[in-house]
Amino acid sequence: MASKQCPSLPTELWTQILQNLNDDEDLPSLWKSCRHVSTAFRDTAESIFRERHLPKTRFYFYLGEFLSDGSDEEDYEERLQVCHLAAGFDFLSLSEDGITATFAVNTDDLPEILQPRARKRLREYVGNMDIEAPKHTVQIRRDVNDGPIPGLSIDYEKLTLSCNWRELFGAFYTEEYLCDKFTAKALEKRATWLEELKAQVDRKELNPMEVMKKALTAFEDDSKDCRKLARRARICWQFKIHDGTEWDFGRDGDEAVERGCLAKLQKIRFSASLEVFSDEESGDDDGDEETESDEDEDDEWEDTDSDGDN
């Protein structure tokens, strides 16, 4: 007897189901897994990202320091203050074909008086981007990394930034997805150790607070390692598509540079984690969804770490 196929659900119902994946930790799987189930799932998932999460996407470029004249001070030497120059870009619009997203500089963060200096330094940075030590971050809701910006184009006069948003999200969530996989493996490895700690507590050999402190420290260390490994895999992928270079951290990487980048990202992620977004908010209607999607990058990057750091 031939099996009966379940009736297909209307797109509106799939949209409602997938929209329940609201938490930040759900987004990597929604992008990496749900989009590959079928064309309908892909279209539905992409519409959610386009309408809900693309407007919550930001770029920050960290453009060094400059001397600011603090005019409240009478002594000239005291008036000179070292300030940090940064340019933040917020979502502005989506092209008619639905491929290119445009972002405009946030003038609250970058007043007009600083814009000429920012234009000059942006040109210098974009013309010579450092894959291993980027001076920019990509933020989608509360998640942050310093990955690539595919199809990057900057109008320096208008201070607007354009990019291919699907490829941007693909690179971004591949790194997040890989980090989640490393984290799951780390938790599996910790299972026996946690059982042993619990047994020691039950036998009154360890103080519960000491165990909790040990566990939290271990999980924090694992989280940092997983972030590091996922970032290395992404950098390896970037070099490969950039010029075919087979980059290897053990041979080509710089631990001091990496530590500095990871420390800065950790601080930025903490600040981003405190932001509040309302899922009831919706962006402007950017038109009908197109029927074709650009090619996704590889399902996931390999763990290319070669120094044996786990």
Side-chain angles (χ1 to χ4, degrees), residues 19-222:
Q19 280 179 341
N20 287 324
L21 298 173
N22 289 325
D23 296 335
D24 294 343
E25 56 265 27
D26 295 330
L27 300 185
S29 293
L30 180 59
W31 183 269
K32 289 294 297 176
S33 299
C34 293
R35 286 176 64 250
H36 298 291
V37 171
S38 67
T39 301
F41 267 60
R42 183 202 68 196
D43 293 344
T44 299
E46 286 187 1
S47 71
I48 292 171
F49 278 94
R50 186 186 65 234
E51 296 166 9
R52 178 177 293 177
H53 307 308
L54 182 57
K56 304 295 190 299
T57 300
R58 299 169 181 165
F59 300 95
Y60 289 96
F61 291 81
Y62 305 95
L63 304 173
E65 299 175 340
F66 66 97
L67 290 177
S68 174
D69 184 1
S71 57
D72 290 340
E73 298 288 344
E74 293 183 2
D75 188 294
Y76 177 76
E77 293 184 358
E78 292 294 328
R79 283 164 50 189
L80 294 179
Q81 303 172 8
V82 176
C83 299
H84 295 275
L85 182 64
F89 291 80
D90 295 328
F91 178 74
L92 179 64
S93 63
L94 189 66
S95 62
E96 290 186 6
D97 61 9
I99 295 175
T100 302
T102 299
F103 301 77
V105 75
N106 187 326
T107 54
D108 291 337
D109 296 335
L110 187 69
E112 187 173 355
I113 192 173
L114 295 179
Q115 291 179 13
R117 181 183 278 111
R119 288 187 180 94
K120 179 178 182 295
R121 294 193 184 181
L122 268 174
R123 286 180 186 274
E124 294 171 353
Y125 172 63
V126 172
N128 189 31
M129 279 189 171
D130 188 336
I131 293 177
E132 290 187 67
K135 295 180 180 178
H136 72 269
T137 57
V138 182
Q139 178 177 344
I140 303 177
R141 298 182 71 89
R142 299 176 189 87
D143 291 326
V144 181
N145 69 32
D146 57 356
I149 309 175
L152 173 64
S153 176
I154 295 181
D155 185 324
Y156 293 100
E157 291 305 313
K158 296 180 180 178
L159 282 176
T160 58
L161 178 159
S162 299
C163 67
N164 184 314
W165 78 270
R166 282 192 186 83
E167 292 182 4
L168 173 76
F169 277 42
F172 187 95
Y173 284 116
T174 296
E175 182 172 346
E176 294 299 310
Y177 186 78
L178 189 56
C179 181
D180 289 346
K181 288 189 66 175
F182 286 144
T183 301
K185 290 180 181 179
L187 287 173
E188 287 180 11
K189 292 180 180 179
R190 291 285 182 187
T192 302
W193 177 71
L194 290 172
E195 287 295 329
E196 292 175 355
L197 288 180
K198 182 179 181 299
Q200 287 179 294
V201 170
D202 292 341
R203 295 193 298 267
K204 311 293 185 184
E205 296 174 1
L206 284 178
N207 184 294
M209 292 304 297
E210 291 181 11
V211 170
M212 185 177 296
K213 186 176 180 180
K214 281 186 178 181
L216 290 175
T217 300
F219 291 147
E220 182 181 4
D221 291 342
D222 287 346

